[in-house]
Amino acid sequence: MKVIHVGVGGFGKQWVRVLRSSRKVRVVALVDVSEPALAAAREAGGYNGRVPCFTSLQEALRAVPADALVCSTPPDFHREQVVAALRAGLHAVSEKPMANTLADCKAMLRAARETGNTYVVSQNYRYRPEMWTIAELVRKGGIGAIGQVRIDFHKGVAFGGFRAEMEYPLLIDMSIHHFDLIRFVTGLDPVSVQGTAWNPAWSHYKGDCSSSVVFELSNGCRVVYDASWCAQGDYCDWNGNWQIEGTKGTILYRNGEIRLLKVGPRYKVESSETMAPKPPPADSQHFVLADFMRAVKNGRRPKTDVYDNIKSVAMVFAAVKAVKTGRKVAVLDKDSR
Ligand SMILES: NC(=O)c1ccc[n+]([C@@H]2O[C@H](COP(=O)([O-])OP(=O)(O)OC[C@H]3O[C@@H](n4cnc5c(N)ncnc54)[C@H](O)[C@@H]3O)[C@@H](O)[C@H]2O)c1
């Protein structure tokens, strides 16, 4: 597959490594607004002088025939770049979040529908050993029917760049991972959300960077999500801490450890077992890329394509609307259902 890679610095460096490691990919152009980022990517990808570099995606699309775009620019540019690629006849993978507004996401969904080309959002948190194992445990009925979930995500992260400036940096740039994981782990669709967001006095972020929201899922289950990127200690890992409770027991996740509690009648914990994480067939972005290429080749839908991801990203923008208005907000509408 011939790939144009746009946004090759920052987190794009991870994609440079992932693309380099695939025997089925040939990177045919690099695009970035930063010349130093282009030079570093040329070096890291082992491309030397063989791969042309551009500072505009439009130019690259005109000059170089390709099958797909990999887009790892900041979210503000995803709509313009992914839609341009889809309309030029390419398939596309972009980093999460799909875009910075629901209107942009819907425009991307429309472009995928109208062109028939494949567009995947990289929700790599699904494809790491711990959450993969937890999702499988739930799917196999390990805790019965899910009734309530608690997720606590507390980190102190001194991001600069677009995150320091954006509205609701945590909900839009980070919580998309956790909201997508809620769907992946429970296998349920979101219904509604209510909540609140705030910014503690010491936060260096411009937008509210702490929030507490409650989702209702399609079986009536509630998910209580409490998160901050400007926490002052007691940090968790990037997955957050999870407590998933069902009719037969609970799955607990804390900093890499998974525990399965079997619970009998009247809340009696009968056993507690630590479960070894079982890795997926490929890790993180490697899984996303392999799934994308297989799907394009075989004409089927990849797991986190735009038609699936619109439901996760709708959770983000419904949460934003809920914390802005203080009202309970429906998550899915006719476009995202
Ligand atoms: N999946 C993950 O775990 C994960 C982790 C970090 C970042 N991300 C995502 O990756 C994306 C990029 O984040 P980042 O922190 O690397 O951002 P960044 O600000 O470091 O930018 C990434 C690169 O894009 C380039 N760029 C900016 N605007 C451009 C444009 N208009 N055209 C071409 N190139 C442009 C920059 O020069 C830079 O080299 C975001 O969507 C972010 O949410 C994902």
Side-chain angles (χ1 to χ4, degrees), residues 6-13 15 31-35 37-38 54-57 71-78 80-81 94-97 122-125 128 159 161-163 172-174 176-177 285:
V6 62
V8 298
F11 196 68
K13 289 187 233 162
W15 276 102
V31 186
D32 203 291
V33 289
S34 154
E35 294 283 358
L38 285 169
F54 300 86
T55 50
S56 127
L57 177 64
C71 171
S72 43
T73 53
D76 258 345
F77 307 105
H78 291 179
E80 179 197 330
Q81 295 175 333
S94 83
E95 260 308 326
K96 46 50 66 175
S122 179
Q123 296 289 176
N124 59 303
Y125 277 39
R128 301 198 299 200
F159 280 125
F162 69 88
R163 294 174 183 88
I172 297 178
D173 195 61
M174 184 64 220
I176 178 62
H177 280 305
Q285 287 83 10

Side-chain angles (χ1 to χ4, degrees), residues 2 10 34 44 58 70 75 99 113 163 165 253 282 297 316-317:
K2 288 184 284 192
S34 154
Q58 289 293 356
V70 169
R113 248 189 214 128
R163 294 174 183 88
E165 299 301 315
Y253 176 79
K297 186 169 170 214
V316 169
F317 294 111

Side-chain angles (χ1 to χ4, degrees), residues 171 179 193 195 213 215 314-324 329:
L171 279 174
F179 295 173
V193 61
V213 299
F215 285 102
M315 293 170 79
V316 169
F317 294 111
V320 166
K321 190 169 172 189
V323 302
K324 265 186 185 171
V329 173

